[in-house]
Structure formats: C-alpha cells, structure tokens
C-alpha cells in the first residue's frame, strides 16, 4: 500500500523495500549493508560473528566513554538551554551524512536515533535491516536519508526558536552536493509542498508537527 501510494504521488523516496519484511531475510540484508559500508570506510558496528538470522556486533563507535544517540545529545543540549551546542551537533550529524553520500553510499533509516556519537565526538551509524536501493535510485536514497534526519530533528529546532540558523546550515550543506543530488533535493521539496498546510500545533500529533517543520527547514534552505 505504501509503495502504491508513493508511486501515485511520485514520491519514490517513501517506498518500502522488500527487505523491510523482517526475519532472516532482513538479517542477511543488514549483514551485507554493514559489510558494504565498512568497506567504504564508514563507521558502522563491527560484525563479530553471524549465522542465519542472527548477527553479533560491536558498538558502532568505541571510545573511552559511553556512546549515545545523536538525538539524545541534541535534545539534551536544547533542554539545558544550550542551543548553539545543540545546533553544532545537528550540523555534525548532517556532515556525517554527506560524508556517507560522497563515498557513494547511503543509509537505511537515517533518523538521529540511529546515529551514535562517542564522548570524543566520533559518529557512527546503526540499523540497516532494509536496503532502499532495491526500490529507488541512489539520488533518491540520499533524499530519503535527508528526510529521515530532518523528521527526527526538526521539532526540537522549532521549539528552541533557531529555525533560521538551522536553515542557513542546511543551505550550505546542500550547496556542497553535485547538480544531480541538488536537483533530487529540489524536486523532492516541490513534490511535498502540500506539507506546508499541515498544522503547527502538537495536539494533532507530534509526527504531524515534525513533518511540517521538516518541510519548512528544507523548503527555505533550497528555495521553492
């Protein structure tokens, strides 16, 4: 149903891959993606052992202290009245994402909860049970990564009142890409213009607000 809807709306980056069905098939996909990303020099969990339907892996980042999700790091700094520090970590996550893209790779679910950061500031990525490239091309995989990241971070940015600063950072981030990627980002933004009509009030659901502010960040960064 999701794939049919994505096709009708011409939103290929919303498609679900067949590997999202779970079970041993998803485990095999995750193992393959972990190996591909590691070979590309991207920090992901190191596979210690694996068998059919199970993978034993090490933390994505190994440092002196504990690692935590980037989502927790960003939101805790916003909650503690440190918006500049929070935006700094948000920007670090964005550029870690572009490093993945510049190496010809992509993630699976690039939400900030699936991006981990060590006490030394090293960033890694987790959760690769599906492979978007099965159902979309590489530029759309990168669009999907960006949309996932914005969806998981736009709400605290809006709450803190630093949307203009985040838009400036995002605009610079998009500018580093080639024309094919920038066109994909631009086309994606144009096709989801209806999102600007979503309500801003949280009483309609947190996800609705997240989607609304995600569009606001992207549309102003890339231009309508």
């Amino acid at each position: 149903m999701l794939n049919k809807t994505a096709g009708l709306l011409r939103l290929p980056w919303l498609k679900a891959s067949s590997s999202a069905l779970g079970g041993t098939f998803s485990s095999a996909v995750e193992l393959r993606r972990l190996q591909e990303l590691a070979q590309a020099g991207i920090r992901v969990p190191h596979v210690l052992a694996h068998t059919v339907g199970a993978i034993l892996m090490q933390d994505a980042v190994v440092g002196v202290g504990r690692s935590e999700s980037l989502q927790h790091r960003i939101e805790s700094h916003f909650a503690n009245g440190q918006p500049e520090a929070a935006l700094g970590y948000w920007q670090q996550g964005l550029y870690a994402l572009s490093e993945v893209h510049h190496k010809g790779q992509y993630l699976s679910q690039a939400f900030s909860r699936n991006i981990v950061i060590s006490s030394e500031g090293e960033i890694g990525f987790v959760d690769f049970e599906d492979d978007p490239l099965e159902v979309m091309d590489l530029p759309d995989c990168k669009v999907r990564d960006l949309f996932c990241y914005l969806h998981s971070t736009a709400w605290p940015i809006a709450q803190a009142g630093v949307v203009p600063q985040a838009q400036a950072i995002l605009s610079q981030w998009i500018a580093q890409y080639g024309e094919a990627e920038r066109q994909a980002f631009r086309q994606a933004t144009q096709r989801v213009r209806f999102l600007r009509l979503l309500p801003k009030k949280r009483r309609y659901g947190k996800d609705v607000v997240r989607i609304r502010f995600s569009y606001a960040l992207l549309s102003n960064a890339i231009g309508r």
Side-chain angles (χ1 to χ4, degrees), residues 46-115:
H46 175 63
V47 177
L48 301 173
H50 62 89
T51 185
V52 177
I55 306 173
L56 178 64
M57 63 187 80
Q58 193 176 26
D59 287 343
V61 293
V62 179
V64 176
R66 289 184 59 188
S67 61
E68 62 180 330
S69 72
L70 188 62
Q71 176 177 329
H72 182 267
R73 181 73 63 89
I74 291 171
E75 292 181 355
S76 62
H77 277 80
F78 274 133
N80 292 330
Q82 300 171 309
E84 290 186 3
L87 276 180
Y89 285 116
W90 183 75
Q91 181 176 9
Q92 188 177 353
L94 267 179
Y95 279 89
L97 194 60
S98 62
E99 183 179 355
V100 172
H101 294 168
H102 293 332
K103 290 180 177 179
Q105 290 293 327
Y106 55 94
L107 302 177
S108 296
Q109 299 180 29
F111 301 109
S112 55
R113 67 173 182 267
N114 292 330
I115 303 174

Side-chain angles (χ1 to χ4, degrees), residues 16-172:
S17 63
S18 57
S19 51
L21 295 174
T24 58
F25 188 56
S26 289
S27 294
V29 170
E30 181 156 23
L31 177 62
R32 173 174 57 80
R33 291 296 295 134
L34 286 169
Q35 293 170 336
E36 290 171 350
L37 290 163
Q39 290 171 1
I42 297 163
R43 186 176 281 108
V44 294
H46 175 63
V47 177
L48 301 173
H50 62 89
T51 185
V52 177
I55 306 173
L56 178 64
M57 63 187 80
Q58 193 176 26
D59 287 343
V61 293
V62 179
V64 176
R66 289 184 59 188
S67 61
E68 62 180 330
S69 72
L70 188 62
Q71 176 177 329
H72 182 267
R73 181 73 63 89
I74 291 171
E75 292 181 355
S76 62
H77 277 80
F78 274 133
N80 292 330
Q82 300 171 309
E84 290 186 3
L87 276 180
Y89 285 116
W90 183 75
Q91 181 176 9
Q92 188 177 353
L94 267 179
Y95 279 89
L97 194 60
S98 62
E99 183 179 355
V100 172
H101 294 168
H102 293 332
K103 290 180 177 179
Q105 290 293 327
Y106 55 94
L107 302 177
S108 296
Q109 299 180 29
F111 301 109
S112 55
R113 67 173 182 267
N114 292 330
I115 303 174
V116 293
I117 183 168
S118 72
S119 56
E120 292 84 11
E122 296 179 325
I123 282 184
F125 304 94
V126 300
D127 198 350
F128 302 100
E129 293 182 355
D130 64 328
D131 186 352
L133 196 60
E134 293 177 350
V135 293
M136 64 189 76
D137 59 25
L138 185 57
D140 284 329
C141 287
K142 296 176 182 181
V143 170
R144 172 188 164 114
D145 284 346
L146 177 58
F147 274 31
C148 286
Y149 188 71
L150 293 183
H151 177 269
S152 62
T153 56
W155 171 242
I157 288 173
Q159 277 189 309
V162 291
V163 170
Q165 296 93 316
Q167 288 170 340
I169 292 171
L170 184 57
S171 181
Q172 293 176 347

